[in-house]
Amino acid sequence: MAFVILLVLFVAAEVVFAVRARKAQATRADWLRDRLVLRGIELAVALVARLVPAFGENWRFSLLVGMTGLLFVWALVAYFVRRKKATGPRKLGAAIAGPIFTLLALTIASVPALVFTGYHGLPTSGPYQVAQAHAILVDPSRLEEFETDGSHREVPAYFYYPDDAASEGGHQYPLVVFDHGSFGYHESNFSTYAELASNGYVVAVVEHPYYSLFSTDTAGQVIPVDMGFMDDVMAVSNAEGDTSVTDTQYAKVISDWMTLRDADMNFALDTIEAAVDSGTLDDVWHVESDADRAGILRALGMTDTQKIGLMGHSIGGAVSMDMARQRDDIDAVIDIDGTMLGEEKAEGDKFVYNSEPFPVPLLALNNEVHGRGYTTGNADGSEYVNQYVVEHAKDARVMSFDGTEHMDFTDLPLLSPFLADMLGSGDVDHEQFTTQLNGIVLQWFDYYLKGTGDLSGIG
C-alpha cells in the first residue's frame, strides 16, 4: 500500500507539472528548468522512501529508485546542453509526450514492487539458525539433451542445514531432499526447507534445468524454462476431456518428463551419499566460492544418509515416489499436491496402475479439488491413480485442505499474490496455511526419520 501511495504521488506530480506548464505557457527554457527540479524532487523522495520501514532495503524498489535517478540525469544533461538554445514556448505535443513517457517509465519500474511482496520466509520453530550453500553437480554419464554442444547434464543442488556448532563434534541429522514442480525453482518452498533445517535436518533441493522456471549453469548463464517443455505442459493440462489426445500420447509425454527428472534425482542422491561417505567433493561438484565449498562440506559432515526422506510439489511429488520405488535407501515420502504419475502406465487404450504396494510411509497432501478425487475417482468413473496407490500402500495417509488450490502448497502466494492468483491460489490465509503445512511436514519426518513424536492429526 505504501508503494502504491508513492506511485500515485509521482503520477499526480507529473500531471500537475504538465498542466501548470501548459497554463503558464512556459518557455522551453523554463520547462527544462522546472522539469529538472521535479526530477530532483522525485529522486529525493524515492531515496528517502528507502529509509521508511514500509519500503526497507528491498530489491523490489531498486528499479524504481534507479529509474528516478536515470530520469534526473537525463533532465540535468538536457538542461545544461539545451537551455541556451531553448527559445519560444513549449509545443503542446512535446509538453504532453514528456510526462507520458515519464509515467510509462515509472510504471514499468514499479512492476516488481506491485507484483512481489517483501517476503523473506516465515519464522521458524526450531532451535537452530539456517545456513545455506549451493553447488552444481555435473553428470559425466549423460549429455545435455537440450543442447547440441556436447556438454554434460548439470543438476543444481541447494543445501539448507542447521547452523549448529555442535555438529562439528559428530552430531548427525536426517537428509530430506525436495523436488520442485513444473516451472518451479529451488526456492519454491523455501519456508519448508528453513523449518526443517531449524529443527535439525539437512535439506537438499534438486533443480531441473530447462524444466524449472530458471536455473544457472556452470558458466554462470541463466537457463530459462524450455519452450517445448512449456508447450507440452499446456497440452497435457488441456488434454482432460480431449478425445484427440490418446492415453498413449499422454503417457509418452509424462514418461519423458519422469525419465529425465528421475535420472537427475538418482544422480544427485548418489553424489550426495558418496560425498558424505568420503568427506570430500570430487570433480562432479562445481562450486563457485570457498564459502559455498565450506558450507557444503559442513552440511555433508552432519548428514545421516541412513535416514532419508523425500518430498516434492506436483510432479516433484511423483518423482519422489519413483525414487522410493527404485531405491532401497528411502525411509519416507511426502507427495505435496501431486498426481502420482509414475504409478500409472498406458497399455493399449487404458491406464494400468502399479499393483505393487508402495513400499515406504507415504503422506499425500492435497488441495480441495484434488482431494475429492480420492472419493469420487476420475471424470470417466474410473479409479483415480492416487486413490488406488493409497488404498494398496503399506502405510499411507491422505490430507486435503478446504479453500486451497495448487499454488497454495508453495511459497508463491507469500512472494507474489498476483502471480499465485493467476496460476491457482485459494482464499485461505496463506501465512497461516503455510505454517500449518510446514508443521505437518516436520511432524511426518520427525516420526519416521527421527522416531520422535506421533502422527496425531495427520490423515
Side-chain angles (χ1 to χ4, degrees), residues 178-350:
F178 179 86
D179 197 59
H180 63 76
S182 299
F183 312 144
Y185 76 120
H186 69 275
E187 288 194 331
S188 64
N189 289 65
F190 171 78
S191 67
T192 311
Y193 323 145
E195 176 66 6
L196 287 172
S198 78
N199 280 279
Y201 289 87
V202 175
V203 181
V205 182
V206 175
E207 200 168 62
H208 304 280
Y210 302 96
Y211 281 9
S212 62
L213 182 62
F214 61 87
S215 59
T216 305
D217 64 13
T218 53
Q221 300 297 312
V222 175
I223 307 298
V225 64
D226 178 68
M227 296 307 298
F229 168 68
M230 184 177 288
D231 291 342
D232 285 343
V233 172
M234 294 299 104
V236 167
S237 299
N238 296 326
E240 186 175 353
D242 183 357
T243 57
S244 67
V245 180
T246 67
D247 285 349
T248 301
Q249 292 171 326
Y250 173 87
K252 173 63 169 60
V253 173
I254 298 298
S255 177
D256 289 344
W257 296 348
M258 296 293 290
T259 297
L260 179 64
R261 295 176 67 122
D262 282 0
D264 286 349
M265 184 63 80
N266 269 316
F267 170 62
L269 283 166
D270 289 343
T271 301
I272 291 170
E273 291 182 6
V276 169
D277 290 341
S278 68
T280 61
L281 304 182
D282 61 20
D283 291 342
V284 306
W285 292 81
H286 176 86
V287 185
E288 286 291 336
S289 68
D290 291 340
D292 271 326
R293 179 173 293 274
I296 291 169
L297 287 171
R298 189 176 177 207
L300 296 177
M302 63 177 72
T303 299
D304 179 5
T305 53
Q306 299 304 306
K307 295 293 183 180
I308 299 178
L310 301 182
M311 62 177 178
H313 175 245
S314 194
I315 191 174
V319 173
S320 298
M321 293 179 64
D322 262 12
M323 293 300 98
R325 289 283 196 188
Q326 297 174 21
R327 306 173 66 97
D328 59 6
D329 55 355
I330 308 304
D331 298 291
V333 172
I334 301 179
D335 174 29
I336 304 175
D337 205 38
T339 300
M340 301 172 186
L341 299 173
E343 297 293 311
E344 58 184 6
K345 63 179 180 178
E347 290 189 0
D349 59 352
K350 65 178 182 179

Side-chain angles (χ1 to χ4, degrees), residues 426-456:
D427 57 6
V428 294
D429 181 311
H430 294 113
E431 183 171 332
Q432 181 178 342
F433 175 69
T434 303
T435 299
Q436 177 189 7
L437 192 70
N438 294 343
I440 292 169
V441 169
L442 176 63
Q443 183 182 357
W444 182 262
F445 285 135
D446 274 351
Y447 186 80
Y448 283 106
L449 300 185
K450 291 185 175 181
T452 61
D454 56 45
L455 297 179
S456 60

Side-chain angles (χ1 to χ4, degrees), residues 100-115:
I100 290 177
F101 169 79
T102 301
L103 291 176
L104 180 61
L106 292 174
T107 300
I108 293 174
S110 302
V111 168
L114 296 173
V115 172

Side-chain angles (χ1 to χ4, degrees), residues 14 29 35-36 43-44 47 60 78 83 96 115 135 176 180 184 216 229 264 282 335 382 394 404 421 446-447:
E14 291 295 328
R35 186 180 68 169
L36 176 60
L43 176 59
L47 291 172
R60 298 181 302 135
R83 60 174 177 157
I96 295 175
V115 172
V176 174
H180 63 76
T216 305
F229 168 68
D264 286 349
D282 61 20
D335 174 29
S382 61
K394 292 182 178 180
T404 61
D421 286 342
D446 274 351
Y447 186 80

